[in-house]
Amino acid sequence: MNKGVYLALFSIALAQGVKIPIHYFKKKEWRPELFWGTGGMPSSHSAGVSTLTTYIALQRGLPTVDFALSLVYGLIVMYDAQGVRRQTGDLTLKVNSMNDLIEKIQKDESVEFKEEKPKKLKEMLGHEPEEVIGGALLGVLVGILGHKCTKKNRKIPKFTLRF
């Protein structure tokens, strides 16, 4: 494996770990199991792909195929993290609540209907746009720091042309 992969994996783990104290400060609830969960601030998807893209940009340069592939792949991952996956989580919550209602009806329990104002559902699978941006910023920071740390130890081979 190369250093870009190691940095991206480190960034993903760091983003997952940071979710625990952020959740604690928001909700005053300590939940270490969030390390293994999906969703939340910051997005580990965004952090990982942003770290790799930043590292490639600094190591290989912007006008390279490596950077172009990583950038396009990263944008797709971030779009998916906040779009499709979040909508899937919202839909799952709605289906689950319908299942509860159907079970009550099948048990001949009286079901009281009351109109509720639509409320924002908490997503479980995906990310809010600010969580994706937070992950991307974390990833860029890790990518820059990783590049600086590896730059000192990197030896550039010298090539000579022989005719």
Side-chain angles (χ1 to χ4, degrees):
M1 270 200 252
N2 63 32
K3 292 174 184 168
V5 173
Y6 286 131
L7 286 170
L9 293 173
F10 170 75
S11 183
I12 290 167
L14 180 62
Q16 287 297 108
V18 168
K19 290 178 184 184
I20 298 166
I22 288 176
H23 179 82
Y24 179 77
F25 287 116
K26 283 183 176 179
K27 307 275 183 168
K28 302 297 182 217
E29 175 182 48
W30 189 251
R31 295 191 45 213
E33 70 273 11
L34 290 175
F35 184 84
W36 304 108
T38 59
M41 173 66 137
S43 164
S44 58
H45 293 85
S46 297
V49 294
S50 296
T51 295
L52 185 59
T53 302
T54 301
Y55 184 76
I56 289 171
L58 296 172
Q59 285 288 104
R60 306 278 306 207
L62 296 178
T64 62
V65 172
D66 307 13
F67 172 73
L69 285 170
S70 186
L71 178 66
V72 171
Y73 169 72
L75 292 173
I76 291 168
V77 168
M78 288 189 281
Y79 176 79
D80 180 64
Q82 72 90 31
V84 176
R85 290 180 71 243
R86 185 169 131 226
Q87 290 173 1
T88 302
D90 290 347
L91 181 61
T92 301
L93 289 171
K94 290 178 182 179
V95 168
N96 286 343
S97 67
M98 281 179 33
N99 283 340
D100 292 342
L101 181 61
I102 290 170
E103 283 178 17
K104 285 181 180 180
I105 292 171
Q106 288 176 344
K107 291 179 183 177
D108 289 330
E109 292 180 24
S110 64
V111 178
E112 196 176 299
F113 177 78
K114 57 182 175 181
E115 190 173 349
E116 295 178 12
K117 286 174 40 178
K119 60 182 178 181
K120 186 176 179 185
L121 299 174
K122 181 175 176 8
E123 51 83 25
M124 303 301 288
L125 295 174
H127 296 281
E128 299 289 332
E130 61 270 11
E131 295 169 346
V132 172
I133 292 168
L137 293 174
L138 175 67
V140 168
L141 180 64
V142 171
I144 290 170
L145 293 174
H147 171 71
K148 287 189 182 239
C149 291
T150 59
K151 187 177 174 185
K152 294 175 189 171
N153 299 330
R154 194 176 78 188
K155 294 182 180 165
I156 300 171
K158 294 182 181 179
F159 296 100
T160 57
L161 295 175
R162 296 179 193 212
F163 296 99

